[in-house]
């Protein structure tokens, strides 16, 4: 995917304006002060960020007016339109959901939930709903993108079912089904794809995230915990499953405190009140708003802007907007980039230069999954993991390339996908050999990680051993000790796991050590090998004879090897890694 | 076994649900799905009649729609008392999901400092009489004793004191974490408890970025499992091959990630003298990184004795698992 196809997105979040009395002298967003207040934050944004990157959307997550005084929507209209104009955002790109203060409580209690929200609906039609929306249920509405930013919007009413209380309402399974299936259909018809972003807004947050401590709100330190929309956390999981590769940012308010985090691969954002009566009853946290950037590489960043009073006089409106300087402002990242990032900046298929006439030795190396292999190749390319140099892993043969395993396996879902592919194949081996005793052997750190994880799922015993016991790098107890060999008594099948297979000598050494050392009538008769990377083109004639099969997650990454005698001495070309 | 029998009369049965989901749903062990429900159901069928069931949902963040319906029905039908407990901190969502799916939403949930309980007996009548500090203590005691047994099994007694590989002291025997990794059941319990402790450490030390570090072969499987089971954080896993117990390593870059200013939680198997901790921290500092905390299965000394400025924690004390354990310097040793 190119930068053009996944442009930088910048989203401005505000919530909880709580417009109570526009004629009051004590309210930030009052008639005579709101323009100055909004101008202040726009100037502050420009001051800290002169990148001239435009803001694509404004998200306003409810409690626009205070205590159900819906006549204040008339004033709120001027406030939001002015903000959009100052931030240079189209009014159609101002996305809204209602809060518990935006409904007429008497009507809500009488059961007329649509009429209770009618003023909010009128208000929202001035903005993103101007071009129409698709109603999924009484509480859920979808607005498809009509801009180059490709932002879709899902508005969720978290107040339905709360019977007029301030806490979140209910959300049953049927409603979750409706929303999930609606989004699934959008995905299937390619209306939403990985090139898009889904913004979700609900007034009550589905999970608890906080950046500030201690929290004091309305005199109750646990106030925010009582305002979580718990039912919606299950909806978040359903949405993520319906749109597995789409970046999703879920904005909320109500809890009057800032927080943001990526969980379940969804970025959840809460921000404190944007406006309120000065010295009023709500949060003790400064008024605030937030700017979220989602660049091409999906590294989310957040800037929190705070309205700081200059004096201790809490009835004073003499304050300034400033950016929060806090370690809490960090980078969060979606973790499916292996599948979606830069997909089209690579050749259409990174295997397109695959050699089709494989030498005979390559035939014994079987790739577990083409999709996984492509993900690995993309990860290696995107993160610049491929290193050239002299890597001495064998006394006679030198490897000319190296791929660090930790960043590769931390990249997106590669670790999970590798485990799944290996588990699937191991299950077949177990199924095909019902009466045979099997042991998994993890070679060195990463091989041991694979073996132990698969052991948990399959219940098959595993042993972790150092493959370089003879060298200075490992201690005696890490090798094939008598204790380890006793675990191999009467084993029929050994399955060996390692990170990278070079010459294959480590595998052969382990096999020979086992066969020569196991003190039992029955010794292992079959050996399989699993690796993350194994260049299929490297000659390993012995390996294909000694192992029933050699499986790898990636067989088409070239790892050239050369006779060490063909290279200059170490004094001229020093090895970058030396394991011998 | 994924369940522990807590008291000597076999009347209290304890299940850590995360151990079941890890097996049934290995890619996302924090999700309780229909497969996990069936497995828990099967486990309950195998335990004695009239025992108290304790299901610990710690580490579960999502219960799939309908995944508790059969189990909920069974729990409400049976005569024995069921206690569902889960960690309270940050897991309010699970409280709510359990409540709504088992259809006892109008019943009491009681907040304790560490656990919240839903109490169900036959036909859903709530009883509070079983929520006692003794109950919490019993669960913790049972888990601690299990860990001690696991650690004890990993110990090999020498016929006479031998010098350790990692540090120049003589030991009456040696612990080998490989024995724990080898047995999937022991490995699962240890990892679940380490993951729980890891979350507590993260809350306490608040590293700039959540990164797990292992620097030895036998600690690596535990480190990977902690990453896999961690629910509230998505840590980066860094494996250095390796600094311990033999203090030599590849000649390449020590840390493969962008380590500068990174703050790690170091996972080790056993701490005796603490050489591995200090070596790892020295290397981390040389890269502009730091080790904020250390988490071990077992430690010989009181963890506070190793730490400063690292926060050191362990699941158990080695001496508790093996009371005859002795370490000593030999006078005049060359």
């Amino acid at each position: 995917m190119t930068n053009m196809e996944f442009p930088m997105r910048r989203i401005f979040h505000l919530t909880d304006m709580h417009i109570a009395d526009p004629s009051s002298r004590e309210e930030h967003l009052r008639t005579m002060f709101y323009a100055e207040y909004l101008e202040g934050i726009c100037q502050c944004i420009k001051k800290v960020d002169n990148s001239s990157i435009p803001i694509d959307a404004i998200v306003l997550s409810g409690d626009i007016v205070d205590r159900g005084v819906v006549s204040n929507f008339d004033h709120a209209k001027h406030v939001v339109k002015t903000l959009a104009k100052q931030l240079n955002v189209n009014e159609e790109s101002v996305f809204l959901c209602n809060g518990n203060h935006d409904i007429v409580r008497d009507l809500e209690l009488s059961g007329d939930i649509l009429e209770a929200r009618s003023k909010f609906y009128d208000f929202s039609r001035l903005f993103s709903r101007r071009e129409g929306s698709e109603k999924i249920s009484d509480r859920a509405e979808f607005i498809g993108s009509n801009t180059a930013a490709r932002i879709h919007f899902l508005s969720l009413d978290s107040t339905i079912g709360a019977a007029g209380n301030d806490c979140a309402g209910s959300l049953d399974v049927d409603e979750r089904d409706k929303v999930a299936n609606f989004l699934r259909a959008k995905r299937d018809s390619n209306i939403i794809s990985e090139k898009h972003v889904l913004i979700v807004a609900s007034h009550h947050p589905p999970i608890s995230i906080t950046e500030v401590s201690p929290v004091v709100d309305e005199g109750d330190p646990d106030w925010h915990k009582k305002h979580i929309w718990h039912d919606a956390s299950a909806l978040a999981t359903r949405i993520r499953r319906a749109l597995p590769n789409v970046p999703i940012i879920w904005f909320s308010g109500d809890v009057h405190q800032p927080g943001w985090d990526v969980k379940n691969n969804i970025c959840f954002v809460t921000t404190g009140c944007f406006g309120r009566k000065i010295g009023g009853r709500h949060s003790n946290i400064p008024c605030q708003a937030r700017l979220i950037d989602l660049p091409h590489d999906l590294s989310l960043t957040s800037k929190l802007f705070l309205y700081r009073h200059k004096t201790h006089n809490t009835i004073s409106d003499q304050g300034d907007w400033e950016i929060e300087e806090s370690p809490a402002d960090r980078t969060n990242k979606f973790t499916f980039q292996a599948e979606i990032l830069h997909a089209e900046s690579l050749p259409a298929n990174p295997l397109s230069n695959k050699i089709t006439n494989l030498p005979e030795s390559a035939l014994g190396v079987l790739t577990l999954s083409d999709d996984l292999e492509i993900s690995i190749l993309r990860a290696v390319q995107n993160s610049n993991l491929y290193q050239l140099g002299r890597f001495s892993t064998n006394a006679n043969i030198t490897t000319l390339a190296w791929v660090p395993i930790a960043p590769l396996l931390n990249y997106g879902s590669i670790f999970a996908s590798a485990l799944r592919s290996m588990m699937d194949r191991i299950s077949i081996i177990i199924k095909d050999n019902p009466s045979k005793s099997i042991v998994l052997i993890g070679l060195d750190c990463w091989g041991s990680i694979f073996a132990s994880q698969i052991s948990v799922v399959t219940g098959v015993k595993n042993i972790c051993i150092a493959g370089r016991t003879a060298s200075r790098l490992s201690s005696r107890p890490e090798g094939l000790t008598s204790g380890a060999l006793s675990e191999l008594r009467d084993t029929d099948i050994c399955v060996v796991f390692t990170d990278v297979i070079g010459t294959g000598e480590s595998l052969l050494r382990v096999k020979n050590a086992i066969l020569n050392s196991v003190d039992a009538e029955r010794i292992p008769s079959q050996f399989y090998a699993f690796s993350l990377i194994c260049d299929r083109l490297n000659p390993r004639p012995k390996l294909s004879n000694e192992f029933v099969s050699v499986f790898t997650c990636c067989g088409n990454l070239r790892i050239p090897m050369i006779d060490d005698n063909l290279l200059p001495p170490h004094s001229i070309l020093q090895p970058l890694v030396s394991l011998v | 076994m994924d369940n522990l029998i807590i008291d000597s009369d076999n009347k209290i049965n304890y299940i850590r649900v995360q151990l079941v989901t890890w097996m049934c749903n290995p890619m996302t062990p924090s999700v309780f799905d229909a497969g996990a429900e069936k497995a828990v159901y099967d486990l309950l069928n195998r335990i004695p009649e009239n025992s108290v069931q304790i299901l610990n949902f710690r580490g579960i963040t999502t219960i799939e729609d309908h995944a508790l319906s059969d189990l909920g029905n069974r729990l409400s039908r049976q005569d024995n008392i069921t206690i569902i407990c889960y960690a309270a901190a940050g897991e309010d969502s699970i409280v709510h999901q359990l409540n709504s799916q088992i259809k006892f939403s109008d019943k009491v949930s009681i907040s304790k400092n560490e656990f919240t309980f839903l109490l169900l007996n036959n036909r859903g009548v709530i009883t509070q009489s079983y929520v006692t500090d003794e109950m919490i203590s019993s669960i913790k005691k049972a888990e601690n004793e299990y860990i001690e047994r696991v650690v004890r099994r990993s110990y090999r007694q020498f016929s006479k004191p031998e010098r350790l590989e990692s540090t120049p002291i003589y030991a009456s025997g040696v612990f080998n974490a490989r024995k724990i990794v080898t047995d999937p059941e022991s490995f699962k319990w240890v990892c679940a408890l380490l993951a729980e402790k890891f979350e507590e450490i993260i809350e306490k030390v608040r590293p700039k970025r959540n990164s797990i570090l292992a620097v030895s072969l036998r600690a690596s499987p535990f480190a990977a499992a902690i990453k896999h089971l961690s629910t509230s954080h998505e840590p980066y896993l860094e494996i250095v091959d390796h600094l311990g117990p033999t203090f030599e390593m590849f000649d390449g870059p020590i840390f493969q990630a962008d380590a500068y200013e990174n703050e790690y939680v170091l996972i080790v198997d056993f701490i005796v003298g603490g050489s591995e901790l200090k070596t790892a921290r020295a290397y981390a500092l040389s890269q502009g990184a730091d080790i904020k905390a250390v988490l071990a299965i077992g430690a010989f000394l009181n963890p506070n004795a190793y730490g400063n400025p690292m926060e050191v924690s362990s699941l158990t004390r080695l001496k508790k698992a093996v009371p005859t354990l002795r370490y000593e310097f030999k006078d005049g040793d060359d």
Side-chain angles (χ1 to χ4, degrees):
Chain A
M1 198 184 301
T2 63
N3 287 345
M4 290 296 288
E5 283 166 311
F6 196 95
M8 167 89 168
R9 270 71 165 227
R10 175 165 277 192
I11 299 155
F12 184 81
H13 180 224
L14 72 160
T15 187
D16 294 78
M17 299 204 304
H18 287 287
I19 295 174
D21 181 2
S23 63
S24 158
R25 291 192 303 169
E26 296 182 338
E27 187 152 331
H28 287 112
L29 292 169
R30 65 184 185 269
T31 309
M32 298 301 287
F33 187 62
Y34 78 89
E36 189 180 324
Y37 186 70
L38 299 178
E39 199 172 280
I41 190 167
C42 295
Q43 291 300 328
C44 186
I45 292 170
K46 282 181 191 155
K47 199 168 144 190
V48 298
D49 185 305
N50 55 7
S51 64
S52 0
I53 296 167
I55 294 173
D56 297 296
I58 296 172
V59 179
L60 173 49
S61 50
D63 281 1
I64 295 156
V65 299
D66 199 46
R67 302 186 186 206
V69 183
V70 293
S71 57
N72 285 334
F73 275 121
D74 282 343
H75 177 63
K77 173 180 73 182
H78 298 301
V79 173
V80 178
K81 279 176 176 275
T82 302
L83 178 67
K85 189 175 176 187
Q86 291 193 350
L87 292 176
N88 203 20
V89 175
N90 292 330
E91 290 177 0
E92 292 84 354
S93 298
V94 177
F95 299 114
L96 309 152
C97 68
N98 67 287
N100 50 298
H101 283 257
D102 299 322
I103 57 182
V104 180
R105 298 192 181 195
D106 292 344
L107 292 169
E108 180 79 356
L109 288 172
S110 70
D112 194 348
I113 61 168
L114 293 179
E115 192 54 34
R117 291 160 178 76
S118 65
K119 291 291 181 193
F120 168 76
Y121 295 148
D122 292 343
F123 176 75
S124 67
R125 279 188 208 103
L126 299 169
F127 301 100
S128 59
R129 285 185 179 87
R130 188 188 290 178
E131 303 292 325
S133 62
E134 293 177 71
K135 195 164 182 175
I136 306 169
S137 69
D138 280 345
R139 77 167 76 242
E141 236 177 325
F142 178 79
I143 296 169
S145 174
N146 57 2
T147 68
R150 299 195 193 101
I151 293 174
H152 299 289
F153 179 64
L154 178 66
S155 169
L156 296 171
D157 184 344
S158 58
T159 66
I160 292 178
N165 292 318
D166 286 343
C167 58
S170 56
L171 178 67
D172 64 22
V173 175
D174 293 340
E175 284 189 281
R176 294 200 288 263
D177 285 345
K178 273 186 193 168
V179 175
N181 286 323
F182 177 91
L183 294 174
R184 200 178 289 275
K186 292 287 180 196
R187 179 201 67 191
D188 292 344
S189 54
N190 217 23
I191 290 168
I192 305 180
S193 73
E194 72 272 16
K195 296 172 187 170
H196 298 83
V197 174
L198 178 69
I199 290 178
V200 184
S202 66
H203 182 60
H204 297 88
I207 61 168
S208 173
I209 36 169
T210 59
E211 283 173 13
V212 289
S213 178
V215 174
V216 180
D217 212 314
E218 299 189 3
D220 181 356
D222 285 334
W223 191 83
H224 85 283
K225 289 184 184 172
K226 296 165 185 167
H227 287 243
I228 303 299
W229 192 19
H230 292 296
D231 283 342
S233 69
L235 177 64
T237 306
R238 299 285 303 275
I239 293 174
R240 168 47 71 215
R241 243 183 267 145
L243 305 173
N245 291 331
V246 178
I248 299 171
I249 310 176
W250 188 313
F251 292 95
S252 301
D254 189 69
V255 290
H256 299 171
Q257 57 183 293
W260 77 299
D261 204 355
V262 171
K263 293 189 175 184
N264 195 16
N265 227 5
I266 295 175
C267 181
F268 294 96
V269 180
T270 61
T271 302
C273 297
F274 183 72
R276 62 167 182 261
K277 200 172 174 183
I278 296 164
R281 68 182 174 90
H282 290 302
S283 168
N284 65 335
I285 296 167
C287 287
Q288 54 194 252
R290 191 188 289 273
L291 201 58
I292 292 275
D293 282 348
L294 177 62
H296 181 58
D297 68 355
L298 302 189
S299 308
L300 287 149
T301 54
S302 159
K303 292 187 179 74
L304 189 67
F305 296 89
L306 306 174
Y307 188 74
R308 299 268 194 207
H309 287 281
K310 288 178 179 172
T311 70
H312 292 297
N313 185 354
T314 54
I315 59 166
S316 167
D317 59 355
Q318 292 181 5
D320 272 330
W321 283 100
E322 58 186 52
I323 189 165
E324 185 196 38
E325 288 179 5
S326 158
D329 266 355
R330 59 197 185 278
T331 300
N332 273 315
K333 196 157 184 167
F334 293 109
T335 55
F336 41 72
Q337 62 271 39
E339 286 75 27
I340 69 166
L341 275 187
H342 310 296
E344 290 160 31
S345 61
L346 289 165
N349 177 347
L351 300 177
S352 58
N353 60 352
K354 192 170 168 177
I355 296 168
T356 48
N357 295 321
L358 290 167
E360 198 169 331
S361 61
L363 298 177
V365 179
L366 304 171
T367 305
L368 288 164
S369 152
D370 283 349
D371 288 345
L372 172 59
E373 181 168 65
I374 290 169
S375 293
I376 290 172
L377 292 171
R378 284 178 179 160
V380 170
Q381 177 174 318
N382 291 341
S383 296
N384 294 319
L385 298 179
Y386 196 86
Q387 299 168 20
L388 277 177
R390 183 179 200 159
F391 301 92
S392 300
T393 55
N394 177 292
N396 304 314
I397 305 291
T398 290
T399 301
L400 296 176
W402 189 265
V403 176
I405 301 302
L408 179 60
L409 287 178
N410 277 283
Y411 193 98
S413 55
I414 286 179
F415 183 53
S417 302
L419 274 179
R420 186 193 301 271
S421 299
M422 290 179 183
M423 278 177 201
D424 288 348
R425 181 59 65 168
I426 297 283
S427 301
I428 294 170
I429 295 172
I430 293 171
K431 197 175 162 193
D432 289 348
N433 297 279
S435 57
K436 302 270 176 70
S437 157
I438 302 176
V439 171
L440 312 179
I441 297 174
L443 214 53
D444 300 317
C445 293
W446 287 107
S448 299
I449 287 171
F450 290 131
S452 57
Q453 291 278 327
I454 292 168
S455 176
V456 165
V457 180
T458 58
V460 175
K461 188 162 61 177
N462 79 96
I463 305 170
C464 54
I465 58 172
R468 297 177 289 273
T469 319
S471 79
R472 68 182 196 276
L473 293 166
S474 301
S475 70
R476 197 169 26 86
E478 291 177 309
L480 264 176
T481 58
S482 57
L485 289 166
S486 70
E487 303 286 353
L488 291 165
R489 283 181 68 89
D490 298 327
T491 296
D492 299 306
I493 298 173
C494 288
V495 183
V496 187
F497 295 84
T498 187
D499 50 4
V500 179
I501 299 176
T503 60
E505 274 205 13
S506 296
L507 292 172
L508 292 170
R509 200 163 50 238
V510 166
K511 179 182 174 181
N512 289 333
I514 290 171
L515 293 180
N516 293 332
S517 313
V518 174
D519 178 22
E521 286 182 8
R522 203 168 81 199
I523 58 171
S525 57
Q526 293 180 35
F527 283 78
Y528 293 83
F530 283 75
S531 68
L532 189 66
I533 295 171
C534 174
D535 182 352
R536 301 175 73 197
L537 294 188
N538 283 331
R540 303 179 196 88
K542 284 185 193 166
L543 203 60
S544 52
N545 291 335
E546 300 287 332
F547 281 72
V548 177
S549 294
V550 177
F551 297 101
T552 188
C553 299
C554 181
N556 282 296
L557 182 65
R558 300 286 84 84
I559 307 279
M561 293 189 294
I562 187 170
D563 189 327
D564 199 56
N565 289 324
L566 298 173
L567 292 171
H570 287 194
S571 57
I572 292 176
L573 181 62
Q574 201 175 359
L576 295 172
V577 168
S578 179
L579 307 184
V580 290
Chain B
M1 290 291 282
D2 292 321
N3 61 310
L4 288 179
I5 306 296
I6 288 204
D7 76 349
S8 54
D9 298 328
N10 291 351
K11 291 290 186 192
I12 303 177
N13 180 65
Y14 173 65
I15 296 173
R16 248 187 196 264
V17 176
Q18 192 184 37
L19 301 186
V20 178
T21 56
W22 190 3
M23 206 162 68
C24 299
N25 200 4
M27 296 307 130
T28 47
S30 61
V31 176
F32 186 90
D33 62 4
E37 185 198 32
K38 185 176 180 310
V40 171
Y41 198 101
D42 290 345
L43 269 177
L44 292 178
N45 275 337
R46 289 207 297 268
I47 58 170
E49 289 285 322
N50 299 320
S51 55
V52 176
Q53 326 284 347
I54 303 176
L55 307 182
N56 184 350
F57 275 76
R58 176 133 198 175
I60 306 296
T61 58
T62 303
I63 296 172
E64 287 206 337
D65 289 343
H66 312 297
L68 274 176
S69 40
D70 287 346
L71 189 62
N73 286 338
R74 178 201 156 118
L75 294 177
S76 61
R77 274 199 315 271
Q78 66 190 15
D79 287 334
N80 44 13
I81 292 170
T82 299
I83 297 175
I84 298 178
C85 61
Y86 35 85
E91 294 184 4
D92 293 349
S93 165
I94 278 298
V95 176
H96 192 82
Q97 290 177 54
L98 283 166
N99 242 331
S100 61
Q101 289 214 33
I102 302 185
K103 306 295 182 198
F104 291 105
S105 54
D106 56 334
K107 302 299 189 299
V108 185
S109 68
I110 302 156
S111 288
K112 304 279 285 184
N113 284 339
E114 272 188 272
F115 292 105
T116 304
F117 289 87
L118 290 177
L119 305 176
L120 319 174
N121 67 5
N122 52 332
R123 284 161 288 286
V125 178
I126 298 293
T127 173
Q128 297 183 35
S129 60
Y130 278 78
V131 184
T132 60
D133 289 340
E134 286 74 28
M135 179 69 78
I136 297 170
S137 301
S138 300
I139 295 170
K140 287 190 166 179
K141 186 163 171 275
E143 289 192 322
N144 288 341
E145 286 172 355
Y146 181 83
I147 294 299
E148 282 167 22
R149 285 199 298 276
V150 167
V151 170
R152 196 174 302 127
R153 283 201 297 269
S154 77
Y155 179 74
R156 182 168 62 87
Q157 178 85 30
F158 297 140
S159 53
K160 60 177 185 176
E162 290 185 19
R163 188 171 158 163
L164 292 175
E165 296 264 351
S166 58
T167 189
I169 54 179
Y170 283 77
S172 56
V174 67
F175 294 91
N176 189 346
R178 176 159 70 193
K179 289 188 179 171
I180 302 173
V181 181
T182 293
D183 173 33
E185 299 306 335
S186 308
F187 180 64
K188 278 196 296 185
W189 275 97
V190 171
C191 290
L193 290 167
L194 285 172
E196 183 175 325
K197 202 111 182 161
F198 171 74
E199 309 253 337
E200 291 167 10
I201 290 170
I202 291 290
E203 288 303 317
K204 191 170 178 186
V205 304
R206 296 253 172 198
K208 285 180 191 162
R209 278 184 280 175
N210 297 326
S211 299
I212 296 175
L213 174 66
V215 298
S216 72
L217 168 65
R218 284 169 286 188
S220 299
F222 297 100
I226 291 168
K227 172 187 166 71
H228 196 51
L229 298 177
S230 173
T231 54
S232 58
H233 310 276
E234 292 187 7
Y236 187 94
L237 175 63
E238 179 73 90
I239 303 289
V240 172
D241 189 359
H242 53 263
L243 303 180
T246 300
F247 299 112
E248 292 213 34
M249 59 182 182
F250 291 359
D251 295 334
I254 296 167
F255 294 112
Q256 295 175 345
D258 176 16
Y260 185 68
E261 289 196 334
N262 222 350
E263 293 178 336
Y264 293 99
V265 176
L266 176 68
I267 309 298
V268 299
D269 47 6
F270 301 112
I271 312 174
V272 177
S275 311
E276 188 176 318
L277 279 53
K278 290 176 173 61
T279 311
R281 181 154 190 265
Y283 277 115
L285 291 171
S286 76
Q287 302 293 303
D290 200 355
I291 292 175
K292 295 290 279 188
V294 181
L295 175 56
I297 301 167
F300 180 60
L301 301 176
N302 183 327
N304 294 333
Y306 298 104
N308 227 345
M310 292 179 283
E311 176 83 24
V312 180
S313 310
S314 72
L315 295 184
T316 190
R317 295 281 295 278
L318 297 176
K319 191 90 174 160
K320 278 191 87 177
V322 181
T324 58
L325 184 65
R326 293 282 181 280
Y327 293 109
E328 60 180 342
F329 285 104
K330 278 212 167 173
D331 191 24
D333 179 34
D334 55 2

